[in-house]
Amino acid sequence: MDKRYLFVDGEVITVNNENQVVEAVAVQGSRIIAVGSTEDILQLQDDHSEVIDLNGRTLMPGIIDSHLHITMYGTNELSVSCKNDSITSIQDLLQLLKEQAAMTPSGEWIRAWGYHDQKIADKRFPTKEELDSVSTDHPIIVIRACSHISAVNSYALRCASIDKNTPNPEGGIIERDGDGEATGLLLENAHMQMFQVAAFSKDEIGEAHAVASEHFSKAGITSIHDASGYGTSNLRALQQDSAKGIIKQRVYAMGGALSKSENVVKALLNSGIVTGLGNDRFKIGPVKVFLDGSSSGPTIWTREPYTSDSSDFGVHYFEQEQLEELFIPAHEQGWQITAHAQGDAAINMLLTCIEKANKLYPRKDARHRIEHAGIAAPDLIERMKIQGVIPTPNPAFLHEYGDGYCVSYGKRAEQMYPLASYLEAGVPAAIASDCPVTDFSPMRGIHSALTRLSQNGKVIGEKETISLLDAIRMYTINGAYASFSENETGSIEPGKLADLIILDQSIIQSKVEGIPFVQVEFTMIDGEVVYERLPEKANS
Ligand SMILES: [Zn+2]
């Protein structure tokens, strides 16, 4: 008989339709079997029960992060991070690379990411010779934060068969010294080709997924919507690592890629599958493309010019017709469609496409999405409502990048990730971290949703702040809805899958400024404890 857990005497945030907060919940096997008062739940005690006294602490549904990149985060974790505050010079970088080399078998790659030449004392990239001084037994690559430039050692150049006679690839530059020898600095397409050579192996990706999944469990994340990055092989890796139990979170996998995403979408449209294939641990999500650039770049595509530069409207990667040629057939086939759309012009393009698709091929409950939906102006929110579209806003971006937004976009920054307007319009926004772009900490995300505080302490658009319980809904049931899983996950209700977390205190009683420091003590996915840090337990 399956073990029964009785969680009693707590603050159980159910996220049910009435937003009830109750005292206790019972779990058996993979399911929640009852919710109610401590007295009611203790009636269910039997020989197979473990009673856990919550002592007033919060128990709530597991967090659903509706847009992050597990493979990218995990592989970053296996590499040297140059975002690390302790790297202020090339000497610091070389030291960390040496430590990494000491732990890495000969012949395997040493990778560093997030390097920013202008942010370190030397204001340049390391040379091939400097990287050779770290190791001549490992290929080494140091990738700039923009992911368009890298510096490599001699071993890496040999791996890519680059020597004096190698011509520059189309759209790329192999930097050379006075004698025509490669210096190790590779730009644009020359970098992209090296990046392919330095690609992570299947085993390394499995290791990356394991590390990432463990970190997510500790933070209380029980479901992820993976926003992809590496195309169809990435989908396969996610499916296999989920089946092997390497990834503990439920995965809703988007089909796309960081570059040439339309090719991945076309391959998926030709594959014969559609959104929804899979099971409650791994499910195929929407097809996804990139419509514009980065909010912090700043390169998002706007309807009015940037406040910081009246000739700048950002970049866009699609024309309207081109997007419709790709996505209207996807909609017709039964795919959920979505795109990275940060600027109001990009959001408009995607909504125009969705409006046409819904008109040409009416389909009930398509639940098309908009990733990020940064500058979601009131007219765009109205159109989202009419089309039943789900945006996946990133409130924590306001903390991380908000001060820059005010410079780039002026007043429009106050309209970015407008959670209160979504609530008012009845648009089911699902909060996402976009990790590794920002910290995946749900407490950080909730705090930002409640305060909209920038790093400099500025409140960006106070009227778009929301309440704690609304933020929790956007991090749980709305994410379930965005992945067609609201009947199985996203709330604490009898019959649902037992995905739940316990915090170290009552989050309702905690002060807003304390929320980023609230700790997760216990994480359960599918009735299985995947993380535990319980100080006290009453067994019976
Ligand atoms: Zn993303």
Side-chain angles (χ1 to χ4, degrees):
M1 183 163 167
D2 284 325
K3 182 171 170 181
R4 201 174 266 184
Y5 285 94
L6 307 178
F7 301 96
V8 299
D9 194 23
E11 171 186 273
V12 178
I13 300 177
T14 63
V15 196
N16 65 11
N17 282 337
E18 293 79 42
N19 244 347
Q20 274 176 307
V21 178
V22 300
E23 287 176 341
V25 53
V27 166
Q28 183 157 9
S30 63
R31 299 273 168 183
I32 294 163
I33 57 167
V35 175
S37 68
T38 297
E39 203 185 336
D40 293 342
I41 296 301
L42 283 176
Q43 306 267 320
L44 299 170
Q45 193 169 355
D46 66 8
D47 296 345
H48 306 279
S49 302
E50 178 175 349
V51 177
I52 295 179
D53 187 350
L54 296 168
N55 244 321
R57 289 169 297 160
T58 297
L59 181 150
M60 58 180 267
I63 295 290
I64 298 177
D65 192 322
S66 293
H67 177 128
L68 53 65
H69 305 262
I70 185 175
T71 314
M72 218 180 297
Y73 171 74
T75 50
N76 282 352
E77 284 297 294
L78 297 183
S79 311
V80 172
S81 166
C82 300
K83 291 199 165 175
N84 189 329
D85 288 339
S86 65
I87 299 184
T88 60
S89 67
I90 286 179
Q91 217 41 53
D92 294 339
L93 171 69
L94 298 178
Q95 185 53 40
L96 278 179
L97 290 173
K98 269 180 198 155
E99 287 166 20
Q100 185 84 357
M103 300 186 297
T104 308
S106 292
E108 287 187 14
W109 280 88
I110 309 286
R111 306 173 181 90
W113 61 277
Y115 188 77
H116 203 312
D117 48 309
Q118 293 309 311
K119 281 191 182 164
I120 66 160
D122 310 71
K123 304 248 184 274
R124 64 175 175 85
F125 289 90
T127 64
K128 175 178 73 180
E129 290 74 20
E130 283 168 329
L131 294 175
D132 286 344
S133 79
V134 171
S135 173
T136 51
D137 296 330
H138 302 84
I140 302 175
I141 182 167
V142 177
I143 301 170
R144 191 171 187 271
C146 65
S147 301
H148 288 264
I149 300 174
S150 55
V152 302
N153 70 347
S154 302
Y155 194 136
L157 289 173
R158 282 201 303 281
C159 291
S161 306
I162 294 174
D163 62 22
K164 212 172 168 173
N165 304 315
T166 313
N168 285 335
E170 198 182 319
I173 296 170
I174 300 167
E175 195 193 63
R176 330 232 174 202
D177 63 17
D179 301 325
E181 292 286 352
T183 63
L185 194 69
L186 304 169
L187 296 101
E188 298 297 335
N189 223 2
H191 158 72
M192 299 301 175
Q193 291 183 1
M194 180 61 81
F195 189 66
Q196 294 298 321
V197 175
F200 289 88
S201 69
K202 201 176 165 207
D203 285 348
E204 285 174 320
I205 286 175
E207 208 183 316
H209 286 160
V211 169
S213 180
E214 192 190 325
H215 291 184
F216 296 163
S217 293
K218 272 190 185 174
I221 298 169
T222 55
S223 294
I224 59 170
H225 297 183
D226 185 76
S228 81
Y230 305 105
T232 48
S233 65
N234 198 201
L235 277 181
R236 185 162 53 238
L238 290 173
Q239 183 179 350
Q240 290 175 342
D241 287 346
S242 166
K244 284 182 199 156
I246 291 174
I247 301 174
K248 307 274 189 209
Q249 284 70 27
R250 302 181 194 281
V251 180
Y252 189 61
M254 302 183 213
L258 289 186
S259 68
K260 303 213 176 85
S261 48
E262 61 275 21
N263 292 345
V264 175
V265 173
K266 281 181 193 155
L268 287 170
L269 297 196
N270 287 329
S271 71
I273 64 171
V274 294
T275 303
L277 178 71
N279 55 35
D280 61 37
R281 300 308 291 248
F282 176 88
K283 201 153 67 165
I284 298 288
V287 281
K288 175 188 172 231
V289 296
F290 275 85
L291 293 188
D292 66 344
S294 135
S295 60
S296 61
T299 48
I300 68 175
W301 184 31
T302 53
R303 296 189 286 199
E304 299 295 324
Y306 287 9
T307 305
S308 51
D309 177 352
S310 62
S311 66
D312 195 351
F313 292 78
V315 299
H316 61 286
Y317 300 118
F318 275 85
E319 298 303 329
Q320 187 73 44
E321 275 168 31
Q322 201 191 352
L323 181 67
E324 289 168 8
E325 267 169 37
L326 189 68
F327 267 1
I328 292 180
H331 166 85
E332 193 192 358
Q333 285 186 8
W335 282 91
Q336 185 183 38
I337 58 184
T338 194
H340 167 112
Q342 281 279 27
D344 45 2
I347 299 170
N348 172 57
M349 178 185 268
L350 181 55
L351 282 169
T352 303
C353 174
I354 290 170
E355 285 158 355
K356 263 190 204 165
N358 278 332
K359 194 162 178 212
L360 279 170
Y361 305 102
R363 191 172 122 208
K364 244 186 118 187
D365 212 21
R367 302 191 197 181
H368 295 318
R369 305 171 39 138
I370 303 178
E371 304 309 309
H372 315 299
I375 302 182
D379 61 307
L380 301 171
I381 295 177
E382 186 55 34
R383 289 165 65 195
M384 290 180 205
K385 171 69 187 167
I386 293 168
Q387 298 301 321
V389 162
I390 304 155
T392 60
N394 317 102
F397 280 16
L398 294 165
H399 169 73
E400 183 119 7
Y401 309 114
D403 294 308
Y405 290 169
C406 295
V407 175
S408 305
Y409 315 125
K411 275 296 248 188
R412 285 169 289 186
E414 295 173 16
Q415 278 176 359
M416 291 179 79
Y417 314 115
L419 303 183
S421 293
Y422 287 142
L423 266 182
E424 212 169 293
V427 169
I431 293 180
S433 70
D434 203 15
C435 154
V437 177
T438 43
D439 186 345
F440 54 79
S441 160
M443 295 305 153
R444 165 56 61 202
I446 289 172
H447 182 255
S448 293
L450 268 51
T451 64
R452 297 180 65 91
L453 268 174
S454 73
Q455 277 182 358
N456 289 348
K458 187 171 165 183
V459 178
I460 303 172
E462 190 170 9
K463 76 181 208 348
E464 293 297 346
T465 58
I466 58 170
S467 74
L468 173 69
L469 290 185
D470 285 329
I472 290 175
R473 289 191 81 82
M474 290 187 187
Y475 244 131
T476 54
I477 193 72
N478 288 9
Y481 179 78
S483 57
F484 300 91
S485 310
E486 74 279 11
N487 293 325
E488 289 285 44
T489 63
S491 63
I492 304 289
E493 293 181 89
K496 282 203 168 179
L497 291 165
D499 293 358
L500 54 87
I501 60 177
I502 300 172
L503 309 179
D504 67 348
Q505 57 192 278
S506 151
I507 192 168
I508 293 176
Q509 304 294 326
S510 76
K511 290 204 173 87
V512 171
E513 57 272 27
I515 287 179
F517 310 103
V518 171
Q519 300 281 324
V520 172
E521 294 201 321
F522 178 97
T523 304
M524 175 178 270
I525 301 176
D526 212 48
E528 185 198 341
V529 181
V530 297
Y531 173 66
E532 189 170 18
R533 205 197 62 174
L534 272 184
E536 54 201 322
K537 234 195 267 184
N539 263 322
S540 41

